[in-house]
Amino acid sequence: MGGVGRAPRLAGPGEGLVVERSVTRRTGIEGWFDAPVRQDEPSGPPLLQAPPRWKQSVAIWLGFFPVNLVFTLLVAWLVPAFRELPLAVQVLASTLVLTPVMSFWVLPWVTGRLRGWLHTPRTRSGRSRRAGGTQGS
């Protein structure tokens, strides 16, 4: 097996069938916002640039706030004793429930709805322009 920081090697008869060209390590949620990659030329440039961090933050907040609000209201209504638990336990419970909900359902849905805005092309001045708009406007 590989050492620290190295990808494990394939073992067995399939080892000669695969060539490792690159290794990509993820550190967070940036995968939700990656630019689409060309399938016909994997080494070519991406089809779109990844959106700016501020747009990623807005998209995450637009999903997180309403889901967290609804969860908090429902738990307070269905389990009144929940409010009496220590804050750390309340946060632990909410993050245990909401992290998979956000990862598997909410973020894919939100980023899909905001795809046009997230990937609006930028002009030379760094400003976004709407698809179909003129460059001078």
Side-chain angles (χ1 to χ4, degrees):
M1 289 297 194
V4 174
R6 293 178 53 197
R9 294 181 47 85
L10 292 175
E15 187 169 358
L17 300 174
V18 177
V19 176
E20 182 179 304
R21 294 190 184 245
S22 69
V23 175
T24 303
R25 301 207 187 277
R26 300 287 183 191
T27 60
I29 59 170
E30 68 273 1
W32 289 116
F33 303 100
D34 282 350
V37 178
R38 295 179 63 113
Q39 297 300 313
D40 57 341
E41 298 177 34
S43 62
L47 297 175
L48 296 171
Q49 288 185 345
R53 293 272 177 168
W54 72 268
K55 285 188 175 184
Q56 294 176 30
S57 297
V58 169
I60 292 166
W61 184 84
L62 286 172
F64 183 75
F65 177 75
V67 170
N68 192 9
L69 180 63
V70 168
F71 177 82
T72 302
L73 292 172
L74 279 175
V75 170
W77 179 60
L78 295 172
V79 186
F82 186 76
R83 291 181 183 179
E84 297 169 17
L85 295 172
L87 181 61
V89 174
Q90 292 177 43
V91 172
L92 175 67
S94 67
T95 56
L96 283 172
V97 172
L98 295 181
T99 298
V101 170
M102 290 294 296
S103 296
F104 293 108
W105 296 291
V106 176
L107 275 179
W109 186 83
V110 168
T111 56
R113 300 292 121 1
L114 296 177
R115 184 179 301 120
W117 175 71
L118 286 168
H119 295 288
T120 301
R122 294 185 197 163
T123 63
R124 285 190 200 188
S125 67
R127 293 182 154 202
S128 295
R129 68 178 165 94
R130 287 276 188 205
T134 60
Q135 200 166 2
S137 60

